[in-house]
Amino acid sequence: MAGAAVRPVAVFGCRPRVAGGVCFLEERVVLHAAGAGCLRLHLEHKWHNFIQGTEKSRGVQALAVSPDRRFLALSEAAGEQPVLAVYELTAERARRRKVLAAEELPARQAVSLAFSPDCRLLAAATAPPEGHLSCWLWEKQQLVAAVLLPAAGGGPCQVSFNPQDNTQVCITGNGFFKLFKYSEGYLKQMNLQRGQPENYLCHTWLSKEEVICGTDTGKLSLFETGELHWEKSLEYRKTPTNQEEDTTEEYESGLAFEDNDLQQHSLPQISAVAAYSKGFACSPSPGVVLLFEKTGENEVYEERQEVWLPQDQFSTEPKKSSRQDITCICFSPSEEMMVVSTNKNQLYMFTMFSTKLIREKISYFAYMNFPLHSNAITGLDMCIWKPILATCSLDRSVRIWNYKTNTLQLCKEYQEEAYTVSLHPTGLFCLIGFSDKLRFVSLLYEDMHVLKEFAVKKCRECSFSNGGHLFAAVYGNVIQIYSSITFENVTNLKGHTGKVHAIKWSADDTKFVSCDTHGAVYEWNLSTGKKESECVLKTCMYSSISLTYDAKIIFAVGSDQTLKEISESSIQHEVPAYDVVYTTVAVSRSGRVIFVGTSLGTIRAMKYPLTLKKDFSEYQAHAGAVTKMTITSDDQFLLTASEDGCVFIWKVYNKEGGGVKGEQELEYAEEVLIMRSDIDEKSQAILDLQICVRDLKTESDYELRLKDMYCEGKIKALEENFAQEIDSLKTKHQILQEEKEKQQLQYEVQLSELMDKQAREVQRLESDSSQKLSMENEKYQELQVKSQKMEEEYEKQLHKLEESKIRAVAELKEHYEKKLKHKSVLLEEAKESIRKQIEAHEEMEKQIYEDGDKEILELKDKYEKQLLEEKESNMQLKGEIGVMNKRLNSLQKELKDRNRDIEEMRLEQQKLQDIIKSLEKDILALKTDVKERTETILEKEKHVYDLKMKNQELQNFKFVLSYRIEEFKKQIESRENDIETMKKQISEMEEQLEQFRKESVGLKLTITQLQQKQKATAGEVHREMEKKQNMETLIKRFKADLLNCVRFINDSKKMKAGIHELYTKYVHQPGMVEAQAEDADLQQQYKKQQEYNERNLAVLRKKGMKDKEMHHTAYMRIMQENMSLIKEINDLRQELRVANAQVHDLQSALRLNKNKKSIQDTAPSSELLSGPAVLRLNPELESEKIIEMQQLEIQYLRDQIQEMEQALNCPGSVSFSPKSS
């Protein structure tokens, strides 16, 4: 990596307010101004190709692409001198061809450029006042014409060539519209301006003679051959949403703006105009483009469509984002796409073919790729796990870019300006410093979610550690270290006297380096929180620092225009910047290359170790000072950001060729964060879409079936039509065949007559032609002899004339030579008259030569005319002979053609006879088919007649069955009434069951309470027994102590002391012990009572749940029995239907409809009703059984209640009084 260099591979940004700032090079390749040069961008493949400007360029002011799209002209400001350069675009990397400069013109920057249609001339216009229009023959670097443009005031100025005339130039500006014609090194004005002068902001050519101009008052002016032909004033356009809102809402939204802004924006102003094949597009108001097309009737341009800029969903004020001034409009070569640029560095596109398909009045642009920064970039950082970088800008937005795919992944706009940004090594989180606080943000799949906020005001610098477990934030001159896991303030690094401008972590996160505005560079130890080393230079305000991978060397840049190498607390080397201020610095991981950004926007690559010589490579990139710079962890890419709002991605490679090889290629992570609510919303949306897809499938299947049915019907109708047409054609064919036979006989007779006539005429013509040929041959021979004689005579005469001419010329030469000798003598005598005589002599000589030549030419013309006449007569004779030969040949050809026609007629006759035979066979086959079909039709008619008879019989039988069905319905209604009464009885019995259940529950509760009281009394008895045992043990001890005292009965003092001890031990303390024991007993009783109540509650709850379950099971059992009854009723109904169907089948089989009376006598309705009912149980008997079952259950419950009452009244369950407790 000793000879490392960089090449820009991607640029995220656009330069605003450039004349002709956006244009198409191909159908999908767009060129626009960016940074200090231009960018070629492919819309589909996303590749970028940056065209660097000249050295020390401050940005492009105007650009133009030639009509053949091979050359690019740029107007730049390079230092103090303007530069006008032409580039060739055919190669993969654009190269500069010519730089145009003229001493006779003042050094002013061109604000508008234009190529002629043949790409030979380049027109450049400088801004008024004292503006110039100059024309260059750029390939020769020659200024061919220039003219001064006096103007009343300043403002935009635009120049363009007539698209069909290489010499006609149009220029507009504040107060003038002029057409110039270039001829012989001059620009001549063609038009005279009439009327009041307007401030023309833009114009474009619509045809060879028509130019449309836009003014600052919203007026469109159409000039034809330099004279005003048509005018139209456009109104200020409001956004479609504002037009629909009420006036109150407009007033509320208007409070955010000042009155002056409203007055300025409410006036229409045509800022851009561009032509296409059907008309032109213009922008009369911020955020809108109007499409005008020519009407067929009056050939006047009328408005067809409005195309609005979209509202930025990432913006905090989306309405303002859609009100940007459109500065440039361009169309693709096929006119399928329109691209516009705005004053806020944004590019938008609109597909034009949608106007053909959907003629909507209002449409919307889309971003050409993604939204770009519109102000200076203040922060930039990258991560290790993913190929992404984060930027923040003074436009209050934070953006996440992918430098591998050249796309924007995330974007969010905030209420405050963002000063700094730092990415976590995983790429899942980031820090953003605002004026009021520092925010810890998680990067979701489609959003940025604030996870934590820290009270760090005016945080200009923040940075995650390389391990990601810590992060640092600058608050004035204090550096605060936080844990990114617990968000606790780990330590504060204090010691700087000035504001901290830059911070940097070491690779192992053990050290920390910072610099400030007072020239101090400190190295901190994070384990102790103290300074390890320092280097202070008060004359320098440091702006950026960088560390080597081993953290031994620090590189710093600042206001003193030097790059400093710091190690061991001292400056080791200082490299001068050569009249430029270094703003940023970055060191590669290997430490062999140092990249530096300058205040002019250039990037410098230096080798390490540093030298004092001017040994670096400089690359032109940005149009403003470089604010941030960083290198990826694998040393593959250099990332830079600038005040011009552009982000550059540079590929680092060796000068020998090839990229820089790292230790190993990184595999980037693909994980992303997403909120649970977002997943739920998306899953719900997927389900909704799946349902929609199913609905659409069913609809499409239904429509396809309908189409199939419709097509089948059409096919049948067409088949019938074709069959009818075939029959009609067959009849016609028979008629035509008969006519053909008749005509054939006539033609045969006529042919025989014509053959005889032709043979006679041929014989006659042969005889006549042979006679004429012999005569013509004789004439031809005679003419040949005459022509030979004439040629010989003319040759002799020509020879004589040539000889006479030579003699005359010789004589004349001798005569004039004598005269010349005489004149030469005279010339010697009079030198003054020599010149006049020589001139006269030369004139005389010319006249003589001319006279001689004229005489010779006259003689030549005479003889040539005679020759031509003879030749023409010869040619006429030859032509007559040729005509006779042609006639003979034509007659022979006619004979051959007649013979061929006869043979062809014979062949056609044979073919027609074959066709007639085949058609006769077809007719016989069709006749047989017709017979067969008539037979089948007769059989089907018989079958139809039989079916009709059967149908009549079935209708008669249907009447009988309908009468019986009505009787069955009446019987079913009576049964349903019985079922309803049974249901009422069941509900009454359920109520009784509920009452019994409640009584049983009450009894169970009383039983449990008594059992618990019994347990409590048993516990109290146990306690009394324990007390009794304790007293017995006390008495035993007292007796033992008494016996000990009795031993000292003789010694009164010891006896007294022993009794005193006994008193203190068993008389005084027992009271205290008893009191404490009683307190302890009360507490134990309270606890036991509480446990007892809790147990009772638990038991009661369990019993309540069991009772509920019992009741539920009983209720479900009754419901199931009811359901079984209903099922049996339904089964009976089905059996009834089956029986009816069987009866119907039997009657239809036996044809019983003839003797209806006998059927009614033998099978009355009562039997039919009773038949199927006998198969099932009687519903009354079933209901009685259910009642008996329920009565048995009630009796069982009563027995259980009695047993429980007896158990309660037994002697073992005696209740205790409170005294016993």
Side-chain angles (χ1 to χ4, degrees), residues 65 67 190 350 372 430 564 861 880 944 963 1006 1012 1132 1140 1154 1174 1218:
V65 175
M190 296 173 60
F350 176 71
L372 303 168
C430 75
K564 297 176 180 62
D861 291 336
E880 288 176 358
V944 167
Y963 176 74
T1006 53
Q1012 287 170 0
L1132 287 168
N1140 289 331
K1154 293 179 181 178
V1174 171

Side-chain angles (χ1 to χ4, degrees), residues 479 502-506 511-515 521-524 545 547 551 554:
I479 303 167
I503 54 176
K504 200 75 178 176
W505 294 83
S506 64
K511 293 181 181 180
F512 190 81
V513 181
S514 60
C515 65
V521 177
Y522 294 153
E523 185 178 345
W524 307 85
I545 56 171
L547 273 174
I554 303 169

